[in-house]
Amino acid sequence: MTDAIKIDVWSDIACPWCYIGKRNLEAGLAETTGDADAPKVEVTYHSFELSPDTPVDFDGDISDFLAEHKGISREQAAQMHEHVTGVAANAGLEYHFEKLQHTNTVKAHELIHFAKANGKQVEMSERLMAAYFTEGRHVGRVDDLVALAAEVGLDADAAREALESDRHLADVRADQAQATAYGIQGVPFFVIDGKYGVSGAQPPAAFAQIARQVWGERAAASAS
């Protein structure tokens, strides 16, 4: 039996294109499930902080942050947000930048590693992104993160202990070091079977195509 294709995804839960990329990846893989020899795929999410200098409680909205730290005017930010909201809608996502609470994401990444250790990584990543972009929830404070962990079925007390002890901070840093080693400078970034790199929120068809290609290469190699 052929082993599953490994797809390693570097992303930040506060990256709008990462959530779109996640949804497009899922849609693309779903397209392949009806194949006679459907690819088996295992997806793992890895930590990448787009704005590690952001305070947990940022005084202002996302447009203020972009103006202060990225030199982008509020007008430019509004245009960017309008565009990405439309792209997100095409992927079946509902973004609300007017509700968004910009924050530091390192604790959210620690929580995703805690969830991974407890078999809930994909669910936790999805919950955090939805909380941030759709619901305007705060995803930087321990209390808020513990509540979100409980919503996906994780033990709240264990999640709190993991976050307060920084138990998974080394895992976050290891992901970031691997991203640097790969030369990843922006996210989302997808590494397929450790040999193919795919940058950006590609359309579902692109993910379906590469899954089929790699699966076919596997089958050819095993037959030879």
Side-chain angles (χ1 to χ4, degrees):
M1 183 176 292
T2 306
D3 291 337
I5 297 167
K6 295 191 184 308
I7 300 181
D8 293 285
V9 186
W10 271 262
S11 67
D12 192 347
I13 61 99
C15 161
W17 294 104
C18 291
Y19 198 8
I20 294 166
K22 179 179 185 294
R23 194 57 92 245
N24 286 352
L25 172 65
E26 292 163 349
L29 296 178
E31 284 182 23
T32 70
T33 58
D35 293 3
D37 183 21
K40 294 193 290 289
V41 178
E42 178 184 303
V43 180
T44 302
Y45 288 91
H46 298 275
S47 305
F48 192 102
E49 291 178 272
L50 282 175
S51 303
D53 56 340
T54 306
V56 172
D57 291 300
F58 178 71
D59 185 18
D61 61 19
I62 184 63
S63 295
D64 293 326
F65 178 83
L66 292 172
E68 292 176 21
H69 295 264
K70 308 295 183 184
I72 297 171
S73 71
R74 292 190 68 88
E75 292 74 18
Q76 289 173 310
Q79 291 173 356
M80 288 167 48
H81 295 155
E82 183 179 0
H83 170 66
V84 76
T85 297
V87 177
N90 289 334
L93 299 170
E94 189 176 324
Y95 280 7
H96 290 287
F97 283 99
E98 75 282 1
K99 296 182 183 177
L100 191 149
Q101 297 188 61
H102 192 58
T103 186
N104 189 287
T105 60
V106 69
K107 284 294 174 190
H109 286 296
E110 290 179 43
L111 180 59
I112 291 170
H113 279 283
F114 169 77
K116 179 183 179 182
N118 289 276
K120 294 271 190 182
Q121 188 195 39
V122 173
E123 295 89 340
M124 194 72 255
S125 297
E126 174 69 26
R127 188 69 198 91
L128 285 163
M129 288 177 166
Y132 186 73
F133 284 108
T134 299
E135 301 163 24
R137 299 269 292 268
H138 201 297
V139 297
R141 298 182 296 241
V142 169
D143 286 351
D144 299 274
L145 291 169
V146 168
L148 290 167
E151 288 181 22
V152 300
L154 292 166
D155 182 88
D157 291 337
R160 181 178 297 279
E161 187 280 327
L163 292 173
E164 291 181 345
S165 68
D166 296 336
R167 191 197 315 152
H168 293 286
L169 182 58
D171 298 320
V172 175
R173 299 304 181 221
D175 277 354
Q176 293 169 329
Q178 183 62 65
T180 300
Y182 277 146
I184 298 170
Q185 296 180 320
V187 288
F189 195 93
F190 306 81
V191 176
I192 319 295
D193 255 10
K195 58 181 180 178
Y196 297 116
V198 177
S199 179
Q202 300 296 321
F207 289 117
Q209 187 274 331
I210 195 166
R212 288 174 173 135
Q213 175 188 327
V214 173
W215 194 246
E217 290 172 1
R218 292 276 200 86
S222 62
S224 61

PDB file of all heavy atoms in Angstrom, residues 25-27 32 50 66 79-80 107 139 141 152 157 163:
ATOM      1  N   LEU A  25      -6.816  24.364  -0.782  1.00  0.00           N
ATOM      2  CA  LEU A  25      -6.173  23.056  -0.678  1.00  0.00           C
ATOM      3  C   LEU A  25      -7.211  21.985  -0.382  1.00  0.00           C
ATOM      4  O   LEU A  25      -7.228  20.921  -1.024  1.00  0.00           O
ATOM      5  CB  LEU A  25      -5.108  23.079   0.422  1.00  0.00           C
ATOM      6  CG  LEU A  25      -4.480  21.722   0.770  1.00  0.00           C
ATOM      7  CD1 LEU A  25      -3.689  21.165  -0.412  1.00  0.00           C
ATOM      8  CD2 LEU A  25      -3.577  21.854   2.007  1.00  0.00           C
ATOM      9  N   GLU A  26      -8.075  22.259   0.581  1.00  0.00           N
ATOM     10  CA  GLU A  26      -9.118  21.284   0.938  1.00  0.00           C
ATOM     11  C   GLU A  26     -10.035  21.002  -0.246  1.00  0.00           C
ATOM     12  O   GLU A  26     -10.394  19.844  -0.519  1.00  0.00           O
ATOM     13  CB  GLU A  26      -9.922  21.808   2.128  1.00  0.00           C
ATOM     14  CG  GLU A  26      -9.119  21.860   3.418  1.00  0.00           C
ATOM     15  CD  GLU A  26      -9.743  22.743   4.493  1.00  0.00           C
ATOM     16  OE1 GLU A  26     -10.698  23.496   4.193  1.00  0.00           O
ATOM     17  OE2 GLU A  26      -9.272  22.678   5.648  1.00  0.00           O
ATOM     18  N   ALA A  27     -10.398  22.055  -0.984  1.00  0.00           N
ATOM     19  CA  ALA A  27     -11.273  21.882  -2.138  1.00  0.00           C
ATOM     20  C   ALA A  27     -10.576  21.088  -3.238  1.00  0.00           C
ATOM     21  O   ALA A  27     -11.192  20.225  -3.885  1.00  0.00           O
ATOM     22  CB  ALA A  27     -11.720  23.245  -2.674  1.00  0.00           C
ATOM     23  N   THR A  32     -10.152  15.164  -5.863  1.00  0.00           N
ATOM     24  CA  THR A  32      -9.475  13.916  -6.226  1.00  0.00           C
ATOM     25  C   THR A  32     -10.100  12.687  -5.586  1.00  0.00           C
ATOM     26  O   THR A  32      -9.736  11.559  -5.933  1.00  0.00           O
ATOM     27  CB  THR A  32      -7.983  13.959  -5.822  1.00  0.00           C
ATOM     28  OG1 THR A  32      -7.867  13.910  -4.381  1.00  0.00           O
ATOM     29  CG2 THR A  32      -7.305  15.219  -6.343  1.00  0.00           C
ATOM     30  N   LEU A  50       3.947  36.350  10.645  1.00  0.00           N
ATOM     31  CA  LEU A  50       4.112  37.452   9.703  1.00  0.00           C
ATOM     32  C   LEU A  50       4.540  38.736  10.404  1.00  0.00           C
ATOM     33  O   LEU A  50       5.314  39.518   9.859  1.00  0.00           O
ATOM     34  CB  LEU A  50       2.804  37.704   8.949  1.00  0.00           C
ATOM     35  CG  LEU A  50       2.478  36.744   7.806  1.00  0.00           C
ATOM     36  CD1 LEU A  50       1.105  37.050   7.254  1.00  0.00           C
ATOM     37  CD2 LEU A  50       3.528  36.830   6.703  1.00  0.00           C
ATOM     38  N   LEU A  66      -1.170  48.554   9.749  1.00  0.00           N
ATOM     39  CA  LEU A  66      -0.542  48.602   8.425  1.00  0.00           C
ATOM     40  C   LEU A  66       0.057  49.975   8.151  1.00  0.00           C
ATOM     41  O   LEU A  66       1.129  50.093   7.546  1.00  0.00           O
ATOM     42  CB  LEU A  66      -1.568  48.237   7.350  1.00  0.00           C
ATOM     43  CG  LEU A  66      -2.040  46.782   7.352  1.00  0.00           C
ATOM     44  CD1 LEU A  66      -3.198  46.597   6.383  1.00  0.00           C
ATOM     45  CD2 LEU A  66      -0.899  45.832   7.010  1.00  0.00           C
ATOM     46  N   GLN A  79      -8.650  49.248   0.266  1.00  0.00           N
ATOM     47  CA  GLN A  79      -8.699  48.622  -1.056  1.00  0.00           C
ATOM     48  C   GLN A  79      -8.187  47.180  -1.000  1.00  0.00           C
ATOM     49  O   GLN A  79      -8.769  46.274  -1.619  1.00  0.00           O
ATOM     50  CB  GLN A  79      -7.864  49.436  -2.047  1.00  0.00           C
ATOM     51  CG  GLN A  79      -8.465  50.799  -2.392  1.00  0.00           C
ATOM     52  CD  GLN A  79      -7.535  51.648  -3.246  1.00  0.00           C
ATOM     53  OE1 GLN A  79      -6.401  51.259  -3.525  1.00  0.00           O
ATOM     54  NE2 GLN A  79      -8.014  52.808  -3.670  1.00  0.00           N
ATOM     55  N   MET A  80      -7.106  46.980  -0.256  1.00  0.00           N
ATOM     56  CA  MET A  80      -6.563  45.627  -0.098  1.00  0.00           C
ATOM     57  C   MET A  80      -7.579  44.706   0.557  1.00  0.00           C
ATOM     58  O   MET A  80      -7.785  43.567   0.115  1.00  0.00           O
ATOM     59  CB  MET A  80      -5.282  45.675   0.752  1.00  0.00           C
ATOM     60  CG  MET A  80      -4.076  46.269   0.063  1.00  0.00           C
ATOM     61  SD  MET A  80      -2.731  46.635   1.232  1.00  0.00           S
ATOM     62  CE  MET A  80      -2.632  45.130   2.179  1.00  0.00           C
ATOM     63  N   LYS A 107       1.188  32.729  20.633  1.00  0.00           N
ATOM     64  CA  LYS A 107       0.447  31.819  21.515  1.00  0.00           C
ATOM     65  C   LYS A 107      -0.545  30.965  20.723  1.00  0.00           C
ATOM     66  O   LYS A 107      -0.773  29.797  21.048  1.00  0.00           O
ATOM     67  CB  LYS A 107      -0.277  32.607  22.608  1.00  0.00           C
ATOM     68  CG  LYS A 107       0.615  33.096  23.724  1.00  0.00           C
ATOM     69  CD  LYS A 107       1.181  31.918  24.520  1.00  0.00           C
ATOM     70  CE  LYS A 107       2.199  32.355  25.545  1.00  0.00           C
ATOM     71  NZ  LYS A 107       2.915  31.203  26.148  1.00  0.00           N
ATOM     72  N   VAL A 139      -7.387  36.409  19.419  1.00  0.00           N
ATOM     73  CA  VAL A 139      -6.688  35.123  19.394  1.00  0.00           C
ATOM     74  C   VAL A 139      -5.256  35.237  19.926  1.00  0.00           C
ATOM     75  O   VAL A 139      -4.408  34.404  19.621  1.00  0.00           O
ATOM     76  CB  VAL A 139      -6.676  34.532  17.959  1.00  0.00           C
ATOM     77  CG1 VAL A 139      -8.085  34.245  17.482  1.00  0.00           C
ATOM     78  CG2 VAL A 139      -5.961  35.458  16.977  1.00  0.00           C
ATOM     79  N   ARG A 141      -4.693  36.258  23.509  1.00  0.00           N
ATOM     80  CA  ARG A 141      -4.667  36.114  24.970  1.00  0.00           C
ATOM     81  C   ARG A 141      -4.954  34.672  25.373  1.00  0.00           C
ATOM     82  O   ARG A 141      -5.753  33.979  24.738  1.00  0.00           O
ATOM     83  CB  ARG A 141      -5.678  37.054  25.610  1.00  0.00           C
ATOM     84  CG  ARG A 141      -5.395  38.538  25.352  1.00  0.00           C
ATOM     85  CD  ARG A 141      -6.407  39.430  26.057  1.00  0.00           C
ATOM     86  NE  ARG A 141      -7.748  39.256  25.570  1.00  0.00           N
ATOM     87  CZ  ARG A 141      -8.477  40.238  25.010  1.00  0.00           C
ATOM     88  NH1 ARG A 141      -7.954  41.444  24.841  1.00  0.00           N
ATOM     89  NH2 ARG A 141      -9.709  39.998  24.606  1.00  0.00           N
ATOM     90  N   VAL A 152     -13.130  23.024  20.242  1.00  0.00           N
ATOM     91  CA  VAL A 152     -12.815  21.926  19.318  1.00  0.00           C
ATOM     92  C   VAL A 152     -12.607  20.607  20.059  1.00  0.00           C
ATOM     93  O   VAL A 152     -12.159  19.623  19.469  1.00  0.00           O
ATOM     94  CB  VAL A 152     -11.585  22.246  18.433  1.00  0.00           C
ATOM     95  CG1 VAL A 152     -11.824  23.490  17.603  1.00  0.00           C
ATOM     96  CG2 VAL A 152     -10.307  22.362  19.251  1.00  0.00           C
ATOM     97  N   ASP A 157      -8.112  22.874  30.756  1.00  0.00           N
ATOM     98  CA  ASP A 157      -7.063  23.016  31.768  1.00  0.00           C
ATOM     99  C   ASP A 157      -5.699  22.627  31.205  1.00  0.00           C
ATOM    100  O   ASP A 157      -4.683  23.287  31.477  1.00  0.00           O
ATOM    101  CB  ASP A 157      -7.383  22.147  32.994  1.00  0.00           C
ATOM    102  CG  ASP A 157      -8.578  22.672  33.777  1.00  0.00           C
ATOM    103  OD1 ASP A 157      -8.884  23.878  33.661  1.00  0.00           O
ATOM    104  OD2 ASP A 157      -9.214  21.880  34.495  1.00  0.00           O
ATOM    105  N   LEU A 163      -0.050  26.562  27.423  1.00  0.00           N
ATOM    106  CA  LEU A 163       0.189  27.938  26.996  1.00  0.00           C
ATOM    107  C   LEU A 163       0.955  28.726  28.052  1.00  0.00           C
ATOM    108  O   LEU A 163       1.886  29.471  27.732  1.00  0.00           O
ATOM    109  CB  LEU A 163      -1.140  28.626  26.674  1.00  0.00           C
ATOM    110  CG  LEU A 163      -1.882  28.086  25.443  1.00  0.00           C
ATOM    111  CD1 LEU A 163      -3.254  28.734  25.335  1.00  0.00           C
ATOM    112  CD2 LEU A 163      -1.081  28.327  24.171  1.00  0.00           C
TER     113      LEU A 163
END
